[in-house]
Amino acid sequence: MLKAKWTRLLATFLATVIICQWLLPAAVANAKISSKFSPQVVVEKFTDGENLQRSHFLKQYAQQRVPSKKMLTYPPSRKSNQVDNYHGTVVADPYRWLENPDSAETRSWIEAQNQVTSAYLDQVPAKEKIRQRLTKLWNYERYSIPFKEGKSFGDNSTERYFYFKNDGLQNQSVLYTLKTLDSEPKVLLDPNKLSEDGTVALSGLSISNNGQLLAYSLSTSGSDWQEWKVRDIETGKDLPDHLKWIKFSDVSWTNDNQGFFYSRYDEPNNKTKLEDTNYYQKLYYHRLGTPQSEDILIYQRPDQKEWGFNGGVTEDGKYLIISIWLGTDSKNLVFYKDLTNPKSAVVELINKFEADYSFIERDDSVFYFRTNFNAPRGRVVAIDIEKPAKKNWQEIISQSAETLEGVSILNNQFIADYLKDARSQVKIFDLKGALVREIELPGIGSVDGFYGKRYDTETFYSFTSFTTPGTIYRYDMVTGKSEVFRQPKVDFNPENYETKQVFYQSKDGTKVPMFITHKKGIKLDGNNPTYLYGYGGFNASMTPSFSVSLLVWMEMGGIHAMPNIRGGGEYGEEWHEAGMKFKKQNVFDDFIAAAEWLIANGYTKSAKLAIAGGSNGGLLVGACMTQRPDLFGAALAAVGVMDMLRFHKFTIGWAWTSEYGSPDNPEEFKALYAYSPLHNIKPGTAYPATLITTADHDDRVVPAHSFKFAAAMQAAQAGDAPVLIRIETKAGHGAGKPTTKTIDELTDKWAFLVRTLDIKV
């Protein structure tokens, strides 16, 4: 395996935390998601004139109370005369000024909107009860999957284990290390000590081959920008190395432990770095003890501004595998460089964006890849770099009915992670592709892990389901036995809940699976409050996972439903492509059909049905509520992509054109304009109760999407249902959000549904 695997492990752990906390599937952090992407601390500084303007703007809201929905008054949102011509179609954009998150006018608007939202939610008598229950349930120990690094030399061994642990209510999880599994753990890095409010987060790590050095990255206030540092593991002290302007990059050490490879962008404009587009990523080598300005440029493509590079060193240290990505498309290129020859050139092994290729391991000149080339659900192939033509490729593990998510090598065997109807299935094969065994799992759920080196016989994995907190297992590759290593204790009885998987028909007849979880014994009388959550994009597979947030929802009598709609990766690349670009409407149709199925089968009714999603899932919510405002009682859109005509003009948004299409293309513009949530709001329409959530400096999906959507919705709303926006400060797209902020947001979310869906608590 490549040596960047621990960064991916951290990404998986952090994504799992995010999913468990507030069900935002980080389309861009989870190792099982193909997307490479899915803020700085804001210090408010106003001039005297700006203070006066803000004071006048906020005066009427400072003491506002909201006794009823009908009396709800929104802050004014100025309309400009901004219009744009898209291929002959004139489109108004009256709230363009909200694209500047730091202007005095926008800051005043944010503060006023938050005051109105807080006043509304403070009227919910059950709000404090919800907060207390969330806090109590949250307060349990959580562990990541342990991993091992270093060299074993008897008494002089540098081998050690690493894992993350959260005591319960810590804002950030702490990184520990220990020599043996039964020895006393030592704190290696505690992010909670890096900021008073927990908004500085550990966002990446990589351990040197000798187990003595830790390269780690920090992100501030949820920003995608990372700063990398190096720590001596034995002393706990940082070395002078400090690298900046890094995004969407792993770090991979060379075998001599003297440095590592990473990718970065040129230094941005400091004032606009959270909005400006990111182009021309470059691959570098950093040698310890030298300034970043002396880092060696390994590879760049001045002729390809959208190409990104991820360099990983093979386990034996002999090759650098360079994966080249283009936007969020799962198709990539693969180049390599011989590290045994300092003068070696970068060799183009796969030089067409036609499929996904994930490097697994090598035997001499034979490289193993997991790919979906001519196999949309995935297979394993062997490519001899001395005879790289496709006609010479050998198929090792053929495509099956299940979707092959990932492959690693342990005990000199392939461990293959499959999805069978969106639930995990793990199989072991020998190096010739013969099935050795299927690993028996505890039930229907999701598995992650099986990390390690090629000849390791010990590994670890986690298992979780909607009613099973993430449990860590130790697996013996020789005997095939699993034993519980860490099992969290949460204050609930899983026997009181049940999960079922149903299949329903979408608008065009496609069969779509959906998980439904709730308390046992509910009556199918159509009166159950129901939370329908979806994503549907970027090849992201939505699989069962435990969530304290959903547990509180179900304790209040709620039902949780999660359909595996098209656009995801549950059934391979064909399922993904059926929800891309011109076929994006399939995603919305699948979600709407899920809602109609729940109503038709007595689970709920429109007045009791809430839809929710984050990021691309926020787009899903925005599109569905504007297409079928009659179908839902409430809508919760988190950090959503709402303006489909300007998404590509900010930060990494250009990369999503491979998924959505580009407004600059006349035909793709028509498709985007047809469903763009912002542009399909119709004045005089009774929309469902809406809570939009974002962060003032999200530099993944910039907050302007949510700001403009909220302003337009408030102006258009004809019914009594509220349209509110909750704007978090000192936060970004979701990754690294402190526990305190997460509990605050979840409390507000459930309080909003308790009030708008009339739930008795």
Side-chain angles (χ1 to χ4, degrees), residues 318-333:
K318 293 183 178 181
Y319 288 92
L320 175 68
I321 307 298
I322 305 172
S323 178
I324 293 94
W325 47 264
L326 176 61
T328 53
D329 198 338
S330 56
K331 301 178 177 65
N332 65 302
L333 310 182

Side-chain angles (χ1 to χ4, degrees), residues 735-752:
K737 180 176 287 189
T739 297
T740 51
K741 285 182 177 286
T742 300
I743 291 177
D744 287 345
E745 181 174 340
L746 289 170
T747 298
D748 287 349
K749 180 174 75 172
W750 293 145
F752 177 79

Side-chain angles (χ1 to χ4, degrees), residues 378-530:
R379 59 175 176 154
V380 174
V381 298
I383 302 176
D384 190 332
I385 60 174
E386 295 179 354
K387 298 180 294 182
K390 285 188 175 68
K391 65 180 181 179
N392 298 321
W393 292 8
Q394 291 186 332
E395 183 173 84
I396 306 300
I397 300 176
S398 60
Q399 177 177 247
S400 69
E402 295 77 36
T403 301
L404 181 59
E405 290 274 279
V407 183
S408 59
I409 289 187
L410 292 167
N411 193 36
N412 212 31
Q413 297 172 316
F414 292 113
I415 297 187
D417 177 15
Y418 288 94
L419 278 186
K420 179 179 176 60
D421 293 327
R423 42 191 171 129
S424 286
Q425 184 182 72
V426 183
K427 298 178 181 180
I428 297 177
F429 298 86
D430 66 23
L431 294 187
K432 294 183 179 180
L435 178 66
V436 176
R437 73 174 76 96
E438 180 175 339
I439 296 177
E440 184 177 350
L441 301 178
I444 297 175
S446 302
V447 166
D448 189 27
F450 297 104
Y451 302 113
K453 297 184 178 179
R454 179 163 187 165
Y455 295 100
D456 285 352
T457 59
E458 173 195 63
T459 188
F460 299 85
Y461 68 91
S462 67
F463 176 84
T464 184
S465 72
F466 292 112
T467 56
T468 305
T471 301
I472 310 297
Y473 290 84
R474 180 183 179 277
Y475 185 74
D476 189 315
M477 289 291 300
V478 177
T479 65
K481 292 183 179 180
S482 295
E483 59 182 24
V484 174
F485 178 68
R486 292 284 186 270
Q487 186 168 25
K489 298 178 181 178
V490 185
D491 182 28
F492 85 113
N493 184 359
E495 297 302 318
N496 294 338
Y497 301 86
E498 63 179 315
T499 296
K500 65 184 71 173
Q501 187 178 39
V502 301
F503 292 83
Y504 65 92
Q505 280 196 344
S506 188
K507 183 178 181 180
D508 62 358
T510 299
K511 187 173 70 170
V512 181
M514 176 164 57
F515 292 104
I516 303 174
T517 308
H518 51 73
K519 280 184 178 179
K520 290 180 179 177
I522 65 164
K523 295 181 180 179
L524 298 182
D525 59 3
N527 291 313
N528 301 295
T530 299

Side-chain angles (χ1 to χ4, degrees), residues 648-660:
H648 61 317
K649 294 183 178 293
F650 304 97
T651 63
I652 202 64
W654 61 264
W656 311 334
T657 58
S658 58
E659 180 81 9
Y660 298 138

Side-chain angles (χ1 to χ4, degrees), residues 190-433:
D190 184 356
N192 298 290
K193 296 182 178 180
L194 301 177
S195 62
E196 291 184 2
D197 57 4
T199 54
V200 176
L202 178 63
S203 54
L205 66 85
S206 182
I207 310 295
S208 63
N209 192 53
N210 60 9
Q212 296 179 352
L213 296 170
L214 162 72
Y216 68 95
S217 67
L218 300 176
S219 296
T220 301
S221 299
S223 173
D224 280 334
W225 287 112
Q226 299 174 319
E227 295 188 21
W228 282 83
K229 299 182 179 183
V230 179
R231 176 164 295 189
D232 184 301
I233 293 174
E234 193 62 39
T235 66
K237 295 182 179 180
D238 283 345
L239 305 183
D241 305 80
H242 187 183
L243 310 183
K244 295 182 177 181
W245 313 126
I246 301 170
K247 273 188 181 185
F248 319 126
S249 173
D250 289 336
V251 157
S252 188
W253 289 85
T254 49
N255 263 26
D256 61 6
N257 311 300
Q258 295 302 306
F260 49 77
F261 297 95
Y262 73 99
S263 299
R264 60 161 288 189
Y265 294 95
D266 291 336
E267 183 175 348
N269 182 318
N270 193 54
K271 292 184 178 179
T272 57
K273 63 186 176 184
L274 299 180
E275 295 90 43
D276 290 346
T277 52
N278 304 132
Y279 291 121
Y280 298 109
Q281 193 182 51
K282 301 171 185 177
L283 179 63
Y284 285 90
Y285 173 72
H286 173 73
R287 188 169 184 84
L288 293 182
T290 64
Q292 188 175 14
S293 59
E294 295 181 8
D295 287 353
I296 300 171
L297 178 63
I298 302 299
Y299 196 75
Q300 66 171 330
R301 287 297 294 266
D303 60 325
Q304 299 290 346
K305 69 177 183 179
E306 296 180 348
W307 282 20
F309 310 99
N310 189 28
V313 179
T314 56
E315 186 175 307
D316 59 14
K318 293 183 178 181
Y319 288 92
L320 175 68
I321 307 298
I322 305 172
S323 178
I324 293 94
W325 47 264
L326 176 61
T328 53
D329 198 338
S330 56
K331 301 178 177 65
N332 65 302
L333 310 182
V334 179
F335 300 168
Y336 67 87
K337 177 179 173 63
D338 184 352
L339 296 180
T340 65
N341 178 6
K343 297 182 179 180
S344 66
V346 171
V347 179
E348 299 185 4
L349 179 62
I350 308 291
N351 58 11
K352 291 183 179 179
F353 286 104
E354 57 186 2
D356 172 62
Y357 297 89
S358 298
F359 179 83
I360 304 169
E361 189 50 274
R362 59 174 286 269
D363 278 321
D364 296 323
S365 64
V366 175
F367 288 12
Y368 298 109
F369 290 91
R370 181 268 175 204
T371 182
N372 58 13
F373 178 75
N374 287 343
R377 293 184 301 281
R379 59 175 176 154
V380 174
V381 298
I383 302 176
D384 190 332
I385 60 174
E386 295 179 354
K387 298 180 294 182
K390 285 188 175 68
K391 65 180 181 179
N392 298 321
W393 292 8
Q394 291 186 332
E395 183 173 84
I396 306 300
I397 300 176
S398 60
Q399 177 177 247
S400 69
E402 295 77 36
T403 301
L404 181 59
E405 290 274 279
V407 183
S408 59
I409 289 187
L410 292 167
N411 193 36
N412 212 31
Q413 297 172 316
F414 292 113
I415 297 187
D417 177 15
Y418 288 94
L419 278 186
K420 179 179 176 60
D421 293 327
R423 42 191 171 129
S424 286
Q425 184 182 72
V426 183
K427 298 178 181 180
I428 297 177
F429 298 86
D430 66 23
L431 294 187
K432 294 183 179 180

